[in-house]
Amino acid sequence: MRNYLILLPLLAVAACGPRDACEAPPQPKLLAVKDLTLVQKADAMGVPPSQVPGDAAGGPAFDAYVVRQNEAVQIGYCVDNEAYKARAMKDEMSTVTRAVMATCKVSNESDVLATVLKYRNCAQGNK
């Protein structure tokens, strides 16, 4: 009888069912040329950080770098957000993945599948 009393709290917790403890992905902060670090400026110019001029404040290389970085961040946010919204869908993983890929206009199926799986596992109570 005593063994059954030990299992009672576990059954009570299990009876509650899985809780959706997932959090929506935060809106990304977009990068601006004025906010570039020395390393980011070096990446934009294609030189080591020691060769970045002290007065490097802007230019077409920096603008192109910021555009590329912001585009990548927005695509990543789109994939995360769509996967988060689809976390409780009962459709097959491949179907949800293709839908997210079409919505966000990306072609890297393995990364999108991993993101969908991450949020689906989270919605099921797994980490």
Side-chain angles (χ1 to χ4, degrees), residues 16 20 24 30 33 36-37 43 49-50 53 67 72-73 75 93-94 96 111 113 117 123:
C16 295
D20 187 357
L30 298 180
V33 173
L36 291 177
T37 65
D43 286 344
S50 61
V67 168
V73 166
I75 289 171
M93 293 284 290
S94 61
V96 175
D111 288 345
L113 180 62
L117 182 61

Side-chain angles (χ1 to χ4, degrees), residues 26-40:
Q27 183 74 26
K29 182 180 182 289
L30 298 180
L31 189 61
V33 173
K34 64 180 177 69
D35 298 329
L36 291 177
T37 65
L38 179 65
V39 172
Q40 289 171 327

Side-chain angles (χ1 to χ4, degrees), residues 26-113:
Q27 183 74 26
K29 182 180 182 289
L30 298 180
L31 189 61
V33 173
K34 64 180 177 69
D35 298 329
L36 291 177
T37 65
L38 179 65
V39 172
Q40 289 171 327
K41 288 179 183 179
D43 286 344
M45 295 175 70
V47 298
S50 61
Q51 293 182 1
V52 174
D55 61 347
F62 292 163
D63 293 336
Y65 179 82
V66 167
V67 168
R68 283 192 315 270
Q69 294 299 315
N70 286 340
E71 188 175 295
V73 166
Q74 288 173 333
I75 289 171
Y77 173 72
C78 178
V79 170
D80 278 348
N81 192 44
E82 292 300 318
Y84 172 76
K85 290 191 289 188
R87 68 192 181 281
M89 293 179 82
K90 302 297 181 200
D91 297 355
E92 290 185 23
M93 293 284 290
S94 61
T95 304
V96 175
T97 300
R98 284 192 303 272
V100 171
M101 288 172 55
T103 301
C104 298
K105 297 176 180 70
V106 295
S107 60
N108 193 350
E109 186 174 359
S110 60
D111 288 345
V112 175
L113 180 62

